[in-house]
């Protein structure tokens, strides 16, 4: 009986550890996605974060991988136009992770996403979103299949 209990506790602890590792991976992926896509304006790594059929709901709009690339390219053009090419623009992201769960093959996370926008070192805007993401485990690792983003209106 002791062997059974010890084995059960070991397996339960291993499963709990795996869930923690997955949840930490979800946090890492969210942080890196926003840094690389919307701060660094690099759309070349979409395949490393998003499924082929990825969907984003934000502010009443529906986006997919192609439209995310268009958004990033439009931002690059806007920041490199004649009016802005001599200015330095920054987006600084921070997150408050609220909860996450994984069953080993799929998972979700929800969090608060904050961004500070700077131009030439001066803060010009701050934004706050409440977001959730669904993850699918693929042969290449975790990928985000769905992201829902709601702008939080400060009171």
């Amino acid at each position: 009986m002791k062997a059974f209990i010890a084995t059960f506790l070991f397996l339960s602890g291993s499963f709990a550890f795996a869930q923690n590792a997955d949840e930490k991976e979800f946090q890492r992926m969210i942080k890196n996605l926003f840094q690389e896509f919307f701060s660094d304006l690099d759309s070349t790594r979409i395949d490393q974060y998003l499924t082929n059929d990825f969907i984003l709901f934000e502010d009443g709009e529906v986006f997919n991988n192609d439209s995310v690339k268009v958004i990033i390219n439009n931002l690059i053009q806007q920041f490199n136009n004649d009016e802005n090419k001599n200015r330095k623009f920054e987006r600084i992201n921070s997150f408050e992770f609220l909860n996450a769960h994984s069953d080993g093959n799929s998972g979700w996370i929800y969090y608060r996403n904050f961004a500070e926008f700077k131009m030439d070192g001066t803060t010009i805007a701050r934004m706050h979103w409440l977001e959730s993401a669904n993850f699918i485990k693929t042969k290449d690792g975790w990928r985000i299949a769905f992201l829902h983003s709601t702008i939080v209106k400060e009171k």
Side-chain angles (χ1 to χ4, degrees), residues 6 8 10 15 24 30 32-33 42-43 70 76 80 92 113 115-117 119 125-126 130 132-133 137 140 143 150:
F8 177 76
F10 173 76
F15 182 70
K24 287 181 191 227
I30 292 296
N32 289 350
L33 174 129
D42 181 3
S43 65
V70 168
I76 291 169
N80 290 332
I92 302 163
N113 179 355
E116 180 179 9
F117 299 89
M119 181 175 64
R126 287 187 170 92
L130 183 61
S132 61
K137 192 158 216 177
D140 298 318
R143 297 295 183 268
T150 301

Side-chain angles (χ1 to χ4, degrees), residues 34 91 93-95 111-115 127-129 131:
F34 280 92
R91 174 184 168 146
N93 306 299
S94 61
F95 301 90
Y111 55 94
R112 295 182 186 280
N113 179 355
F114 303 91
M127 294 197 65
H128 172 197
W129 298 266
E131 299 181 336

